[in-house]
Amino acid sequence: MAGMTIGLVLDLFGTFFFAMSGCILAARRKFDIIGSLFLGTLAGLGGGIIRDLILDTVPSAFTNPLYFVPPVLAALLVFFLFRSVERFQRPLLIFDAGGLALFCITGTVKALTLGMNPVASALLGLTTAVGGGMLRDVVANRVPQLFNPDDLYAVPAMLGSALVVVLWSAGIYGTAAAVGVAAVVFGLRVVSLHYGWHIPHAAPVRYTDRHGD
């Protein structure tokens, strides 16, 4: 029961962080509060819904009304405090990093709990972490952060999902471990943003005509 409680808490915080990122983007796109609520809900719940559909289970958001509280709260906060939020540097990316750190954990744990193998569980954890952000960006007519060549976006989430699988397999996953993994993922994401880390780009192949035609 304790494990389920911490899982729900992490899920709700992750939903709030991603919902904030969606609502901030909506405000920047001059959406009204309904559009902001929709984009925040899509960002906060989209990844989990994709995961649950793959797992062939009813999405958690449709079985527990608590999941709709964070998007509503985020929409109201951004609506009334948007100018204050904008004073901070890159708030959208910071909230996105928080959601990424929590959802890679909860997504992986849910898959493991339902009996998925370690590799599939890690992939579903990654899907949970990046799915909502992708839907948010596509609907807002923005290139998804996942495809930004100058960003490590998916790498921290991949690392977090893998760490959860290792800890779970070793029988030492718990609240402290979850907090530790979240801190590692969030820290890596923020540091990568600060220093502009990215995966080396694939070098384009250049064809030369040896005959000079």
Side-chain angles (χ1 to χ4, degrees):
M1 185 66 180
M4 291 177 62
T5 301
I6 186 62
L8 178 60
V9 171
L10 293 177
D11 240 1
L12 292 176
F13 272 104
T15 299
F16 175 74
F17 290 143
F18 264 129
M20 281 292 293
S21 74
C23 293
I24 290 172
L25 180 58
R28 290 177 177 174
R29 290 287 194 269
K30 308 299 182 183
F31 292 0
D32 61 23
I33 191 170
I34 300 302
S36 177
L37 177 60
F38 175 79
L39 199 62
T41 302
L42 193 64
L45 302 178
I49 290 175
I50 294 172
R51 173 204 64 213
D52 290 343
L53 291 176
I54 293 173
L55 289 170
D56 195 26
T57 184
V58 178
S60 299
F62 299 147
T63 61
N64 189 343
L66 279 177
Y67 279 92
F68 290 96
V69 173
V72 172
L73 179 60
L76 291 174
L77 284 174
V78 172
F79 182 77
F80 290 108
L81 303 175
F82 178 66
R83 291 183 180 178
S84 298
V85 173
E86 280 291 276
R87 292 175 185 173
F88 298 98
Q89 202 172 27
R90 295 193 287 190
L92 189 154
L93 294 176
I94 297 301
F95 280 114
D96 188 82
L100 199 77
L102 295 175
F103 273 176
C104 71
I105 297 170
T106 60
T108 304
V109 169
K110 183 161 187 176
L112 288 168
T113 302
L114 292 179
M116 298 297 287
N117 65 66
V119 174
S121 297
L123 289 174
L124 284 170
L126 176 61
T127 299
T128 308
V130 305
M134 285 188 62
L135 293 173
R136 173 200 66 208
D137 293 341
V138 169
V139 171
N141 197 27
R142 190 178 81 156
V143 176
Q145 196 68 25
L146 178 65
F147 302 132
N148 185 345
D150 299 317
D151 197 356
L152 283 182
Y153 194 71
V155 174
M158 291 172 63
L159 174 62
S161 296
L163 285 174
V164 170
V165 166
V166 170
L167 293 169
W168 183 281
S169 300
I172 54 177
Y173 177 80
T175 301
V179 172
V181 172
V184 169
V185 175
F186 182 79
L188 177 59
R189 177 75 178 125
V190 171
V191 170
S192 71
L193 286 170
H194 180 75
Y195 290 104
W197 293 347
H198 62 270
I199 298 174
H201 302 163
V205 178
R206 295 184 178 179
Y207 295 96
T208 56
D209 190 340
R210 295 181 180 178
H211 300 289
D213 294 333

